Amino acid sequence: MQINLTELFSQTVKDVTIRRTLEMDQLEFGGEIFEISEPIKIEFEVTQLGEGEYLTQGKVEAALVMYCNRCMNEVISRIEGRFTKELNENIDDPENDEMKDYYKNSILNVKKLALDEIYMNVPMKVLCNESCQGICKVCGADLNQEACNCEDDNVDPRLAGLKDLFNERFKEV
Ligand SMILES: [Zn+2]
Ligand SMILES: [Zn+2]
């Protein structure tokens, strides 16, 4: 998915809006594979600033299949990455090396630009629900689906002392 930017502009056209959809099943980021549940959308505006010099501004939307950090159930993680980038081939700046990955010889690699933006916005962890109960560490039951009878032996010893005190008082009444 490559676009030659010089072909988009003329004396009268200085602004162009580009919309593309990427049909992909999977993405690989840092050795990890993510399934994609719907086509990736990218929409951005390109403004010509000068010869070989452009400003791009827009957003990328993707839906990745991830897994809840507590219960391991599937979660669709909606990612939206907004970006503003200056494309300029005239600058030979090492800090612009990243730009050369997706813009070179007036050719903008839209797919590379979109995937980089998604990658930067993938959350480290997702939850199916803020109140997800997770999985019982003893029997493996999904505590959102069923309660189990396992003893919770992770009671904080300080709290356990309070519990005993509370039980004694309760008996006296
Ligand atoms: Zn969960
Ligand atoms: Zn259990």
Side-chain angles (χ1 to χ4, degrees):
M1 189 167 288
Q2 315 233 339
I3 297 177
N4 187 334
L5 295 184
T6 51
E7 289 170 4
L8 299 177
F9 296 91
S10 68
Q11 286 295 92
T12 48
V13 180
K14 300 287 176 209
D15 271 295
V16 178
T17 300
I18 297 170
R19 288 186 191 88
R20 291 285 187 278
T21 308
L22 304 174
E23 300 275 354
M24 299 175 76
D25 297 331
Q26 300 189 322
L27 276 183
E28 193 189 329
F29 290 136
E32 205 175 337
I33 307 259
F34 294 92
E35 304 287 327
I36 298 176
S37 69
E38 40 191 83
I40 296 167
K41 281 186 239 157
I42 179 163
E43 181 178 336
F44 59 101
E45 227 183 301
V46 187
T47 307
Q48 190 173 35
L49 302 176
E51 187 80 17
E53 212 183 322
Y54 306 92
L55 184 71
T56 58
Q57 218 165 358
K59 64 174 181 179
V60 185
E61 289 176 304
L64 301 190
V65 178
M66 294 184 75
Y67 296 91
C68 174
N69 197 243
R70 289 185 199 151
C71 69
M72 297 308 289
N73 283 318
E74 210 175 277
V75 181
I76 303 296
S77 176
R78 296 199 173 272
I79 293 167
E80 188 181 294
R82 290 182 179 270
F83 60 88
T84 301
K85 288 179 191 293
E86 215 182 311
L87 309 175
N88 190 346
E89 288 187 87
N90 307 320
I91 304 176
D92 206 8
D93 179 355
E95 278 190 24
N96 266 332
D97 272 358
E98 175 228 5
M99 178 193 76
K100 289 175 189 149
D101 288 346
Y102 52 78
Y103 179 62
K104 216 175 190 178
N105 304 326
S106 299
I107 308 285
L108 181 65
N109 185 334
V110 178
K111 184 176 171 181
K112 177 81 175 115
L113 176 70
L115 298 190
D116 282 0
E117 281 308 310
I118 295 168
Y119 179 52
M120 276 190 285
N121 286 285
V122 175
M124 298 286 285
K125 287 177 186 173
V126 291
L127 292 179
C128 60
N129 191 305
E130 282 300 323
S131 60
C132 173
Q133 301 298 306
I135 290 172
C136 170
K137 290 184 192 73
V138 181
C139 72
D142 180 345
L143 300 176
N144 299 305
Q145 303 291 334
E146 53 185 320
C148 65
N149 294 316
C150 299
E151 289 286 335
D152 187 354
D153 47 7
N154 287 328
V155 176
D156 186 317
R158 287 164 301 177
L159 291 181
L162 276 179
K163 204 168 125 193
D164 290 343
L165 196 69
F166 179 81
N167 285 343
E168 269 167 42
R169 288 213 181 143
F170 192 73
K171 267 180 238 159
E172 283 169 22
V173 177

